[in-house]
Structures are given as structure tokens and as C-alpha cells.
């Protein structure tokens, strides 16, 4: 971190711990003006150490994901709203896959009162969330446990998933490009996600708007491969157009200031 001021080094450390930082919080923490913080963030972004977001900045790494606890805190309210909306689209008495991700975990929290579900997952957090629900059966995939976030990845998990054909799949992504590419960081995780998509009759992507500002190196698939996309705000115009052209149902979750109503991109 040569060339950074002590305050900029601290800002970068905070971003690594929390995933993102805001101008207002940093100005209060360091007792400086918002203009001073914006200058710091601009310099950190110019150096590709952070990437600007609305009202702040986030880690800009395109090759390594943010730590799990930091990801849980990023867009936390948005993920709750997405989770509730996505769960409302899943009927009782069905089978579904749920993969790794903090947003899919919020979907799980919103599903706890559903009945007659069979949930197959490679996410131990999803399994833990749903385990107490008396009318939900959970099957946990076998394979290598990724200690950083409780995901089960690898060939054994892929082979396990291919034994099933389910009604719905709920998947997340770390980044979404304007060309419709859905991206993630770990090729082992991506292989499981691809198997999940292949073996579900309906695929739902859940991802907050911050995913449009991020990048990642491994391709999960394309937006045209999914049936429903649940997010918290209107995506960039190229993504909306792609959803419309591909017949993907675009759902904007209610509950956040400034949101439009849900829209059907297949119209």
C-alpha cells in the first residue's frame, strides 16, 4: 500500500473487513469533511483498490471475492427484501435447489414457514436455517466443505446434484455483466451452480443491484439461461433489454425507497 496516506490505508482496511464503506460513515469516523473522504475514495478508486458505489466505495477485486462476513453486511437490507420477494414466488409442496450465497440464505430465511418443501442445497447455512422447520425436508450435498463460507463444492457435489430433477432452483451470482454474463470467483462453485441450473425446471436468479458494479472471472452462465430474475432495483438498460429479449421475468422486490413495481420483462 505504498503511497497511501495513513487515513487511506485505514479506509482500505475497513473496506476489506466490511466489503464496502460510505462517505458519511467515514467522515464521522475520521472527523473530516465528506469532501475530504470523497478525495480519498477517488484516489483509491483511481488506483483500482476500490470501486465507487452510490454514496461510497467497495472492494474492486475481480479475482477474489469479499470475505463471507463482509458479504453478509453488504446490501444487507436489499438482500432481505429480495429474499422475501423470491420466497413469495415459490409455492408450497415443491422441490428446489438452493446454492451458495448470502442472498440465497435470505431466501431460505423467508421460506421457513412454507410447507411441503424438499430443499437440496450445497450451502450449510441454508441447511441450518431450514433445519428447524417441521414441514421442510432438507438434503445436504456431500463434498469438500469450503471453510470460508460454508459452501460445499467439487466433483462430489456436482455428482450429487445430478441425481435430482427439481421444480425450482434459487441461485446467486457475484457479478453480472451488461452483456448478460453471470459470474463468480470459484470454478468449483460454478460447476455446482451449472449442475443446479441444468437439473431444475425453473431457475431463479437472486442478486442485488451492487452485482452490476462488480466483476468476477468465472462464467456461471447467461441471463438467458434463467427464468426469473429477482433484484432490488431496475438493472442497467442493456440488462433489461436482454431479459425482455430472452423472456426472463424481471421482478423488482418491493420495500426499498425509490423502487418501481415489479416488471415483467417478457412482455
Amino acid at each position: 500500500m505504498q503511497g497511501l496516506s495513513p487515513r487511506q490505508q485505514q479506509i482500505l482496511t475497513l473496506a476489506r473487513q466490511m466489503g464496502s464503506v460510505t462517505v458519511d460513515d467515514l467522515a464521522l469516523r475520521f472527523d473530516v469533511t465528506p469532501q475530504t473522504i470523497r478525495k480519498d475514495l477517488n484516489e483509491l478508486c483511481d488506483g483500482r483498490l476500490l470501486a465507487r458505489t452510490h454514496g461510497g466505495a467497495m472492494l474492486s477485486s475481480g479475482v477474489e471475492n469479499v470475505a463471507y462476513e463482509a458479504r453478509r453486511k453488504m446490501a444487507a437490507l436489499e438482500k432481505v427484501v429480495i429474499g422475501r420477494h423470491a420466497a413469495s414466488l415459490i409455492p408450497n409442496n415443491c422441490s428446489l435447489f438452493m446454492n451458495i450465497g448470502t442472498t440465497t440464505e435470505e431466501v431460505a430465511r423467508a421460506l421457513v414457514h412454507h410447507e411441503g418443501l424438499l430443499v437440496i442445497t450445497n450451502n450449510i447455512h441454508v441447511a441450518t436455517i431450514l433445519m428447524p422447520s417441521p414441514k421442510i425436508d432438507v438434503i445436504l450435498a456431500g463434498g469438500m466443505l469450503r471453510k470460508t463460507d460454508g459452501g460445499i463444492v467439487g466433483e462430489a457435489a456436482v455428482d450429487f446434484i445430478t441425481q435430482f430433477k427439481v421444480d425450482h432452483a434459487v441461485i446467486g451470482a457475484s457479478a453480472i455483466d451488461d452483456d448478460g454474463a453471470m459470474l463468480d470467483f470459484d470454478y468449483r462453485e460454478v460447476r455446482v451452480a451449472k449442475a443446479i441450473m441444468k437439473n431444475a425446471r425453473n431457475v431463479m436468479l437472486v442478486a442485488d443491484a451492487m452485482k452490476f458494479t462488480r466483476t468476477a472471472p468465472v462464467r456461471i452462465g447467461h441471463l438467458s439461461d434463467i427464468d426469473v430474475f429477482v433484484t432490488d432495483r431496475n438493472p442497467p438498460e442493456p440488462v433489461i433489454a436482454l431479459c425482455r429479449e430472452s423472456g426472463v421475468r424481471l421482478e423488482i422486490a418491493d420495500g426499498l425507497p425509490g423502487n418501481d413495481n415489479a416488471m415483467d420483462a417478457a412482455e
Side-chain angles (χ1 to χ4, degrees), residues 116-168:
L117 296 186
L118 173 63
V119 178
I120 301 115
T121 184
N122 64 323
N123 184 335
I124 63 171
H125 299 294
V126 166
T128 301
I129 291 164
L130 295 176
M131 181 178 63
S133 299
K135 297 184 179 180
I136 298 177
D137 291 326
V138 180
I139 300 177
L140 187 61
M144 177 65 70
L145 176 64
R146 194 168 59 187
K147 295 183 179 180
T148 54
D149 63 0
I152 298 171
V153 296
E155 290 301 319
V158 173
D159 292 342
F160 184 85
I161 292 298
T162 57
Q163 297 180 68
F164 300 90
K165 184 74 174 185
V166 304
D167 300 313
H168 300 275

Side-chain angles (χ1 to χ4, degrees), residues 38-231:
R38 290 191 187 96
K39 183 175 182 294
D40 286 333
L41 294 182
N42 286 338
E43 292 179 6
L44 289 167
C45 293
D46 289 344
R48 302 179 67 84
L49 297 172
L50 296 179
R52 288 307 300 260
T53 62
H54 180 70
M58 62 179 287
L59 286 180
S60 64
S61 172
V63 296
E64 182 178 358
N65 205 355
V66 179
Y68 174 74
E69 287 301 324
R71 295 204 306 273
R72 288 186 60 210
K73 297 174 183 175
M74 294 169 63
L77 176 59
E78 289 82 353
K79 291 173 183 176
V80 170
V81 172
I82 290 169
R84 290 172 180 169
H85 191 98
S88 74
L89 303 176
I90 297 172
N92 291 324
N93 303 305
C94 71
S95 55
L96 67 151
F97 289 129
M98 300 188 73
N99 81 337
I100 303 168
T102 54
T103 310
T104 55
E105 290 166 21
E106 291 301 333
V107 180
R109 287 188 178 91
L111 284 172
V112 294
H113 297 299
H114 272 53
E115 299 181 356
L117 296 186
L118 173 63
V119 178
I120 301 115
T121 184
N122 64 323
N123 184 335
I124 63 171
H125 299 294
V126 166
T128 301
I129 291 164
L130 295 176
M131 181 178 63
S133 299
K135 297 184 179 180
I136 298 177
D137 291 326
V138 180
I139 300 177
L140 187 61
M144 177 65 70
L145 176 64
R146 194 168 59 187
K147 295 183 179 180
T148 54
D149 63 0
I152 298 171
V153 296
E155 290 301 319
V158 173
D159 292 342
F160 184 85
I161 292 298
T162 57
Q163 297 180 68
F164 300 90
K165 184 74 174 185
V166 304
D167 300 313
H168 300 275
V170 179
I171 66 168
S174 292
I176 304 170
D177 272 359
D178 281 354
D179 66 0
M182 302 184 298
L183 306 167
D184 225 308
F185 292 91
D186 187 337
Y187 74 93
R188 299 170 302 169
E189 176 182 346
V190 165
R191 292 205 63 187
V192 180
K194 287 182 175 181
I196 284 173
M197 293 170 63
K198 184 177 180 180
N199 290 282
R201 298 180 181 90
N202 296 281
V203 179
M204 180 189 300
L205 172 67
V206 291
D208 62 85
M210 189 177 290
K211 301 302 190 300
F212 300 115
T213 68
R214 302 186 68 192
T215 184
V218 188
R219 181 187 295 270
I220 301 171
H222 191 268
L223 282 174
S224 59
D225 299 325
I226 67 171
D227 300 288
V228 182
F229 178 19
V230 182
T231 187

